[in-house]
């Protein structure tokens, strides 16, 4: 298991001190407060040089309450951030744009940045549907410059899920995977459903896009590419947001993973139930094999992972996210920074992998595009 002492000792001497990545950030909201931006600001090989948010009063307050941001320039338009980063790039600096806006803005902002030759680290999901993702991936692939696109599916590098990955072989031949996520969030009062996650045009499809994307990206990483995906999505509850054309309450589906284990290729079946109008809360992923099973909760980085093999259940140990990994983007960002400076291309979460996740979500929702 990889350990990340990065944030425990932010004053460490960098082996690459002459190669500092200069970052611009568009969208300084909740996700930037703890999960992501402090990991960038505290990294010895990074410098946050610009911040962007429409509300300049809130943006200044954001800058003032975070260490390492005091010299960052403030902008209200993302195009000005991109222009500023391009000037730095043309002057010889390594630059990257972190896009942390609502999903509907991911595609236009990243397209503009990539077109200017600016590397992008984008929040998840990458876009509202697979078609928007493909436009971004195609832009990277057709660029005359060596431009990169990474996506913030940080669970691929969290110790908890690396423990899951390292114990999969103990299960023998993996025979099935099941996902169940039950929540009460569509049953909340209307004022508590005003967040953009509940707005289809902004999120691309509601909570399945926000939460399901994490799960399917993780399964893509752990078990391989997902294919043969289909689903049924319904609005079962009158209290769900958006009226008759709003977002779905319940999504159930099935798929298969293209497995290759010791030279043996086969289809691994998977099933899921997402219910956001449930009277109980449940978060459970189970991977079953001929020798046992692994069971874990996706949306708590501290709750245990259980492995049952040979009739005995074991709690697998891992580094808690409450300590060194308070800023949960840190392990994935370490890969991004190394790629920017050294060209390692070791980051496991790219535009290509993120596009695969969006394709799965589109298939589950039975659509070709988000509208």
């Amino acid at each position: 298991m990889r350990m990340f002492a990065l944030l425990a000792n932010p004053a460490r001497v960098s082996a690459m001190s002459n190669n500092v990545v200069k970052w611009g950030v568009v969208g300084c909201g909740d996700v930037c407060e703890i999960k992501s931006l402090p990991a960038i600001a505290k990294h010895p090989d990074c410098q946050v040089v610009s911040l962007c948010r429409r509300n300049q009063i809130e943006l200044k307050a954001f800058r003032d309450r975070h260490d390492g941001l005091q010299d960052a320039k403030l902008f209200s338009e993302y195009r000005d951030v991109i222009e500023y980063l391009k000037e730095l790039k043309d002057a010889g600096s390594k630059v990257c744009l972190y896009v942390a806006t609502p999903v509907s803005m991911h595609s236009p902002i990243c397209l503009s940045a990539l077109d200017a030759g600016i590397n992008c680290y984008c929040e998840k999901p990458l876009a509202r549907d697979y078609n928007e993702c493909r436009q971004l991936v195609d832009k990277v692939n057709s660029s005359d410059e060596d431009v990169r696109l990474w996506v913030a599916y940080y669970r691929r590098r969290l110790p908890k899920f690396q423990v899951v990955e390292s114990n999969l072989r103990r299960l023998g031949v993996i025979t099935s995977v099941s996902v169940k996520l039950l929540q009460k969030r569509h049953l909340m009062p209307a004022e508590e459903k005003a967040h953009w996650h509940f707005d289809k045009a902004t999120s691309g499809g509601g909570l399945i896009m926000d939460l399901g994307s994490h799960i399917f990206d993780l399964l893509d990483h752990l078990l391989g590419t997902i294919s043969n995906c289909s689903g049924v999505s319904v609005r079962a509850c009158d209290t769900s947001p958006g009226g008759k054309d709003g977002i779905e309450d319940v999504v159930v589906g099935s798929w298969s993973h293209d497995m290759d284990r010791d030279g043996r290729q086969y289809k691994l079946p998977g099933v899921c139930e997402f219910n956001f109008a449930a009277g109980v809360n449940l978060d459970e992923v189970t991977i079953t094999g001929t020798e046992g099973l692994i069971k874990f909760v996706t949306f708590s980085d501290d709750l245990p992972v259980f492995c049952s093999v040979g009739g005995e259940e074991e709690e697998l140990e891992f580094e808690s996210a409450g300590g060194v990994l308070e800023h949960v983007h840190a392990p994935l960002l370490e890969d991004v920074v190394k790629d920017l400076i050294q060209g390692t291309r070791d980051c496991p979460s790219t535009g290509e992998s993120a596009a695969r996740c969006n394709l799965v979500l589109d298939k589950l929702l039975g659509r070709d595009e988000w509208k």
Side-chain angles (χ1 to χ4, degrees):
M1 180 175 63
R2 297 175 9 158
M3 301 300 293
F4 296 88
L6 169 63
L7 296 182
N9 183 19
R12 68 179 173 90
V13 177
S14 170
M16 301 174 289
S17 57
N18 293 327
N19 293 289
V20 173
V21 179
K22 296 183 178 181
W23 289 77
V25 181
V26 179
C28 298
D30 291 344
V31 72
C32 288
E33 291 286 353
I34 296 176
K35 289 184 176 182
S36 59
L37 192 54
I40 299 174
K42 294 179 181 181
H43 196 295
D45 299 315
C46 295
Q47 179 186 4
V48 178
V49 297
S50 60
L51 302 169
C52 179
R53 186 172 183 171
R54 290 176 182 173
N55 188 316
Q56 291 289 286
I57 295 175
E58 291 183 2
L59 183 59
K60 186 178 185 302
F62 178 90
R63 181 182 64 179
D64 292 346
R65 68 176 170 266
H66 286 282
D67 293 336
L69 304 183
Q70 282 63 44
D71 294 330
K73 294 181 180 293
L74 304 184
F75 297 96
S76 60
E77 296 292 335
Y78 74 82
R79 293 178 183 84
D80 295 332
V81 179
I82 293 171
E83 182 178 349
Y84 179 53
L85 290 179
K86 190 174 188 309
E87 291 175 1
L88 295 174
K89 174 179 172 289
D90 291 345
S93 294
K94 292 180 173 64
V95 298
C96 189
L97 180 69
Y98 174 34
V99 180
T101 64
V103 182
S104 59
M105 291 303 297
H106 288 183
S107 179
I109 294 173
C110 287
L111 281 173
S112 295
L114 294 169
D115 197 49
I118 305 298
N119 303 297
C120 291
Y121 177 67
C122 184
E123 272 301 326
K124 44 61 59 185
L126 176 57
R128 291 177 293 184
D129 57 36
Y130 179 70
N131 290 330
E132 288 185 351
C133 291
R134 283 310 319 173
Q135 290 178 3
L136 293 169
V137 173
D138 291 345
K139 176 66 71 173
V140 172
N141 293 338
S142 64
S143 176
D144 293 332
E145 303 190 55
D146 186 18
V147 67
R148 312 288 173 86
L149 172 62
W150 304 277
V151 183
Y153 284 114
Y154 56 83
R155 282 178 170 81
R156 287 180 174 238
R157 282 302 194 216
L158 286 184
K160 173 176 180 175
F161 302 108
Q162 289 185 308
V163 162
V164 172
E165 183 178 17
S166 65
N167 280 272
L168 287 177
R169 283 198 168 271
R170 297 176 60 191
L171 305 183
V173 177
I174 299 175
T175 52
S176 69
V177 56
S178 67
V179 173
K180 182 165 285 194
L181 184 65
L182 312 181
Q183 293 186 349
K184 305 177 182 180
R185 291 171 69 180
H186 279 202
L187 305 178
M188 298 186 304
E191 61 270 17
E192 296 184 39
K193 293 180 287 193
H195 193 278
W196 61 261
H197 283 158
F198 293 96
D199 179 68
K200 189 173 185 179
T202 307
S203 68
L207 298 178
I208 184 70
M209 299 296 293
D210 181 46
L211 303 175
S213 61
H214 265 302
I215 293 175
F216 286 108
D217 178 78
L218 183 60
L219 293 179
D220 177 283
H221 177 64
L222 293 173
L223 301 174
T225 301
I226 294 173
S227 59
N228 302 315
C229 185
S230 63
V232 176
S233 58
V234 299
R235 290 177 50 78
C237 183
D238 291 339
T239 62
S240 295
K244 65 182 180 65
D245 297 320
I247 60 177
E248 295 78 7
D249 293 314
V250 181
V251 181
V252 297
S254 64
W255 65 91
S256 63
H257 293 270
D258 300 324
M259 299 292 287
D260 188 344
R261 180 60 62 89
D262 299 325
R264 178 175 175 269
Q265 297 179 344
Y266 66 101
K267 297 288 187 180
L268 169 68
V271 294
C272 68
E273 176 188 354
F274 293 87
N275 187 337
F276 302 111
V280 296
N281 291 315
L282 178 65
D283 176 354
E284 185 175 272
V285 176
T286 304
I287 302 173
T288 304
T290 55
E291 302 295 329
L293 62 82
I294 288 177
K295 185 179 295 187
F296 60 86
V297 169
T298 303
F299 296 106
S300 171
D301 303 322
D302 296 325
L303 290 180
V305 175
F306 294 103
C307 181
S308 299
V309 175
E312 295 186 4
E313 184 174 79
E314 172 189 359
E315 182 177 324
L316 302 178
E317 295 183 357
F318 58 90
E319 181 75 18
S320 168
V324 170
L325 294 180
E326 176 188 9
H327 312 304
V328 291
H329 283 235
L332 186 67
L333 279 164
E334 184 76 0
D335 285 336
V336 170
V337 174
K338 285 181 180 178
D339 193 357
L340 282 164
I341 294 175
Q342 300 177 335
T344 55
R345 294 188 180 273
D346 286 338
C347 183
S349 185
T350 65
E352 288 280 4
S353 63
R356 293 198 300 266
C357 181
N358 269 81
L359 181 60
V360 170
L361 294 169
D362 285 350
K363 295 294 185 182
L364 285 175
L365 292 169
R367 66 188 195 182
D368 293 323
E369 58 182 9
W370 70 266
K371 296 179 182 178

